[in-house]
Amino acid sequence: MGYGDVQMIDENGNRIDGRKAGDIRPIEIEMGVVPVADGSASMRWGTNYVIASVYGPMEAHPRKIQRQERAVLDVRYNMAPFSTTDRFRPGFNRRSREISKVTADALESVVLLELYPRSKIRVEIEIICAEAGTRCVGLTAASLALADAGIPMTDMVVSVASGKINGVVVCDLNKEEDNYGAADLPMGVLPNTGELVFLQMDGDLSPSEFQEAWDYNMEAALKIHELMKEAIANKYGGAQ
Ligand code: CDP
């Protein structure tokens, strides 16, 4: 039996976790969960649990990483060794290095780095429990933590991954759908303008399926943005 044969959506269009094709997993946000950090946030997203912390802006050390005209973002995505049922060597590997890099690139599009010459802003993303889409949850949580740290940004980054299972395009893949599905399209969206700052793709999607997955990501990003604004308003009051 090939991966494509694993049945993950029934004849009524219900997915394994009971969602319909366009539904996102339940999301809970908590701001300021790491009191020693300058800013932090946690996200429970399905059974993912992710904490992001921000330290800085601080003087960039060593000197050779300094940029005269702007701050540098030092982003580290890490999966805790207990975050998944797979046993893997803890510490930095190729995958975490790649995710850290694309996360930094996405955040650099929104953070007003030129306000802090020769400085460094450290962003730590820790995956405590991994279901699927941890790069998306990490990026979204990092933008919440930056907001919590009071770092000026042109917009938040909201990231979500839609994909295809059993020939059906679905929103916000869970673990089985990510593992056994036919395609995965994680995107990072700026909700105020609809611009993209991050996009990756695994598997095969036709142009129309790609459009459908794109639209699901865009719609989901707007819904998630509402939850983010609510979490920030609950902590700081007022509309953001
Ligand atoms: O987490 P994300 O979907 O962004 O990245 P992935 O590389 O597509 O991984 C999908 C899922 O596989 C993760 O969310 C984890 O649950 C699991 N995984 C794991 O258990 N061990 C790893 N070394 C990498 C991923």
Side-chain angles (χ1 to χ4, degrees), residues 68 80 95 189 207:
Q68 286 307 312
R95 177 178 171 277
V189 177

Side-chain angles (χ1 to χ4, degrees), residues 79 84 86 88 95 130-135 175 178:
M79 278 177 91
T84 150
D86 293 358
F88 69 99
R95 177 178 171 277
E131 184 185 346
T134 60
R135 70 195 64 209
K175 180 115 165 89
D178 184 297

Side-chain angles (χ1 to χ4, degrees), residues 3 7 16 24 37 43 47 70 96 98 100 102 112 130 149 166 191 195 233 238:
Y3 274 1
Q7 200 55 41
I16 294 171
I24 51 176
M43 291 192 91
T47 53
R70 65 169 180 91
S96 53
E98 176 222 315
S100 301
V102 295
L112 298 181
N166 308 127
E195 282 174 89

Side-chain angles (χ1 to χ4, degrees), residues 48 77 79 83-88 93 95 99 127 129-137 161 175 178-179 184 186 200 202:
N48 286 306
Y77 160 103
M79 278 177 91
S83 63
T84 150
T85 49
D86 293 358
R87 291 196 73 227
F88 69 99
N93 54 29
R95 177 178 171 277
I99 297 176
I127 312 301
C129 183
E131 184 185 346
T134 60
R135 70 195 64 209
C136 300
V137 186
K175 180 115 165 89
D178 184 297
N179 284 359
D184 178 18
Q200 295 182 316
D202 271 336

